[in-house]
């Protein structure tokens, strides 16, 4: 599960980059009820999406040369410089070297061996997001990758991630958790890009999932707001009801109405 008791390698930040930040703010306000608070004039338009005063994500305006609109997941690092060096040693790429962010912490944008961008956040005054796993907040992450073994090896070397497997009727799902935290701290999965028909022709990428109270109603609302439904709602046994969407500018994400926990046995 995701938690604000951040440990090394755990997700601790999430942001969407959009060419039209005001439009993105309107979309996510209508979809999830998020408010938006600017980080101030010195932050270049950067700001925080909030629910009841708690930060659930961030948003920034991006230029065409910064890549397509997308969500970027960040992971906890105790030493941003050391993590960036580990990325290079593991044959990844440092896209933006570590930098101090107004005394709030240090960040860097990196890429794995397949070229998929991700961020790291070394906390200073700001530890990370304020809430997870409530409706309107991040509840899961998936990496769609052409080579699961290579991705698992890379992130084990860089962030210490451990993997475990869940068997389903149509295959095996690879889950990840922070080093030494156990399977109870699973926060995401690694998915073979070629195995998902929704992702046909897609480049590898990170997909954030947001918890919702009603998947079908959220999908209908996304359509009304100009979003795209990439995968219609479907039920996954013991997981919940999911759907894949994109905002009006093309940033991809998913929503999940989690299945209730199984009753205790014995």
């Amino acid at each position: 599960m995701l938690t604000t008791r951040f440990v090394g390698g755990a997700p601790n930040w999430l942001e969407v980059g959009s060419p039209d930040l005001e439009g993105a703010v309107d979309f996510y306000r209508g979809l999830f009820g998020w408010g938006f608070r600017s980080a101030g004039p010195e932050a270049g338009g950067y700001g925080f999406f909030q629910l009841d005063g708690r930060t659930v994500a961030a948003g920034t305006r991006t230029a065409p040369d910064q890549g397509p609109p997308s969500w970027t997941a960040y992971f906890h690092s105790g030493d941003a410089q050391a993590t960036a060096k580990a990325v290079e040693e593991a044959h990844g790429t440092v896209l933006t070297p570590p930098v101090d962010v107004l005394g709030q912490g240090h960040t860097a944008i990196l890429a794995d061996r397949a070229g998929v961008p991700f961020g790291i956040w070394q906390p200073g005054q700001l530890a990370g997001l304020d809430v997870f796993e409530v409706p309107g907040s991040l509840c899961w992450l998936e990496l769609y990758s052409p080579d699961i073994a290579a991705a698992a090896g890379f992130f084990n070397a860089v962030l210490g991630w451990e993997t475990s497997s869940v068997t389903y009727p149509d295959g095996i799902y690879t889950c990840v958790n922070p080093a030494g935290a156990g399977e109870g701290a699973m926060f995401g999965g690694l998915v073979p890009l070629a195995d998902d028909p929704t992702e046909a022709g897609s480049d590898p990428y990170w997909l954030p999932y947001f918890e919702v109270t009603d998947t079908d109603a959220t999908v209908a609302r996304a359509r009304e707001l100009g979003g795209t439904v990439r995968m219609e709602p479907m039920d996954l046994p013991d997981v919940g009801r999911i759907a894949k969407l994109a905002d009006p500018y093309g940033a991809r994400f998913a929503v999940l109405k989690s299945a209730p926990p199984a009753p205790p046995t014995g």
Side-chain angles (χ1 to χ4, degrees):
M1 64 180 291
L2 289 159
T3 173
T4 56
R5 297 187 299 274
F6 302 116
V7 298
N12 63 353
W13 198 251
L14 183 72
E15 70 185 26
V16 66
S18 179
D20 183 350
L21 184 57
E22 291 79 10
V25 167
D26 288 342
F27 175 80
Y28 291 106
R29 179 185 291 116
L31 192 65
F32 295 135
W34 291 352
F36 187 76
R37 180 173 66 84
S38 170
E42 71 277 9
Y46 195 91
F48 310 107
F49 290 109
Q50 296 188 318
L51 274 175
D52 301 322
R54 298 186 294 179
T55 298
V56 292
T60 187
R61 184 176 290 102
T62 53
D65 61 358
Q66 293 176 280
S70 61
W71 282 94
T72 300
Y74 287 70
F75 303 95
H76 182 283
S77 169
D79 185 329
Q81 293 286 351
T83 302
K85 182 178 180 181
V87 163
E88 294 179 323
E89 292 174 347
H91 307 293
T93 307
V94 177
L95 301 176
T96 304
V99 61
D100 175 73
V101 184
L102 304 173
Q104 298 296 306
H106 286 77
T107 188
I109 301 296
L110 313 167
D112 66 16
R113 294 172 187 167
V116 184
F118 66 97
I120 53 171
W121 179 253
Q122 176 188 334
Q125 297 178 31
L126 178 66
L129 299 179
D130 293 328
V131 63
F132 297 103
E133 300 192 351
V134 303
S137 69
L138 182 68
C139 64
W140 193 251
L141 287 164
E142 282 181 338
L143 173 61
Y144 285 82
S145 176
D147 189 331
I148 299 306
F154 173 85
F155 283 105
N156 176 263
V158 171
L159 294 174
W161 291 357
E162 299 169 345
T163 61
S164 57
S165 298
V166 177
T167 302
Y168 287 101
D170 55 350
I172 295 175
Y173 187 86
T174 302
C175 297
V176 294
N177 59 263
E183 294 183 11
M186 290 186 302
F187 60 78
L190 309 178
V191 184
L193 192 60
D195 288 1
D196 191 325
T198 304
E199 308 302 338
S202 170
D203 292 330
Y205 76 107
W206 277 102
L207 180 71
Y209 280 70
F210 298 99
E211 185 72 30
V212 294
T213 56
D214 186 323
T215 300
D216 295 77
T218 302
V219 167
R221 183 61 175 149
R223 281 195 173 102
E224 292 173 359
L225 293 166
T228 301
V229 180
R230 302 179 58 242
M231 186 187 79
E232 295 287 349
M234 64 174 290
D235 293 313
L236 291 180
D238 303 320
V239 174
R241 189 162 178 81
I242 70 170
K244 291 183 178 181
L245 306 170
D247 70 20
Y249 311 99
R252 295 168 289 186
F253 64 100
V255 293
L256 166 66
K257 164 64 174 173
S258 293
T265 58

